[in-house]
Amino acid sequence: MALFRGVWGVLRALGRTGVEMCAGCGGRIPSPISLICIPKCFASLGNYPKKPMTSYLRFSTEQLPKFKAKHPDAKLSELARKIAALWRELPEAEKKAYEEDFKAEWKVYKEALGKYKEQLTPSQLMGFENEARQKRLKKKAQIKRRELILLGKPKRPRSAYNIYVSESFQEAKDESAKEKLKIVNQAWKNLSSEEKQSYIQLAKDDKIRYDNEMKSWEEQMAEVGRSDLIRRTVKRSGDLSEN
């Protein structure tokens, strides 16, 4: 999680809010750290305590301006990897200072959270916990996709059909997207085997591209402790699990 937290911290420092990161979730309190959206109805009961930044996230946020100054054109995922590398090399004494700060703030947070929940009636507390649970389940897949994008996971290879559609879609004259897709789909069916062969070859080339990029990406994930993102078939092969 360290690398993802670093990227999250980068976004937070750049001014992205929980509302922006949680598109389509209107009526929520901005929360750049928490992955759970807090309903407005509970905000009226008092200020919902925010979780403190972890030791790594605090370090990442502090280092961001320096890395942006050195690498102004770098992507956020690249900056996060550089910060993660610096964190790994940080002396244990310095890491401990960050960790102690986090522990102290976490204690204050837990006390504040306890006081906040004391304001709720049993039914409100149950509703609060149920909503948070539902939101976690509902947003889990979306958060995972955002995380993989931020971590720079390579795009999946396209099929021959998808390559043809992307190439031909804009050329279709009809203004309706639905009708365009129908026209392109019918045109694909009408292609001869020889005509389709060039797109099949492009798809094979794209698969090679994907495999090569995934191998490199998974090596990076292993280095930063995100072996959970490595494909099971790769783990079984022993290529990266021992790194």
Side-chain angles (χ1 to χ4, degrees), residues 84-100:
L86 183 60
W87 172 259
R88 290 197 301 272
E89 297 171 0
L90 200 68
E92 287 302 318
E94 294 185 37
K95 284 185 180 179
K96 187 176 181 180
Y98 282 98
E99 291 165 0
E100 290 299 325

Side-chain angles (χ1 to χ4, degrees), residues 121-182:
T121 65
S123 60
Q124 286 176 328
L125 181 59
M126 182 177 296
F128 175 82
E129 293 176 346
N130 285 339
E131 172 130 3
R133 188 180 304 110
Q134 292 171 7
K135 281 297 177 184
R136 282 198 297 270
L137 294 174
K138 185 177 181 180
K139 293 295 179 181
K140 187 175 181 179
Q142 295 177 350
I143 291 169
K144 193 69 173 180
R145 285 196 294 271
R146 293 188 189 114
E147 177 184 13
L148 294 176
I149 290 173
L150 290 171
L151 292 175
K153 184 176 182 180
K155 292 183 179 180
R156 295 186 63 82
R158 296 181 297 169
S159 66
Y161 172 74
N162 287 337
I163 293 174
Y164 177 79
V165 169
S166 63
E167 180 182 288
S168 307
F169 190 80
Q170 296 301 326
E171 298 177 4
K173 297 180 179 180
D174 197 284
E175 295 183 359
S176 167
K178 184 177 180 180
E179 290 302 318
K180 279 186 179 183
L181 188 57
K182 285 183 179 180

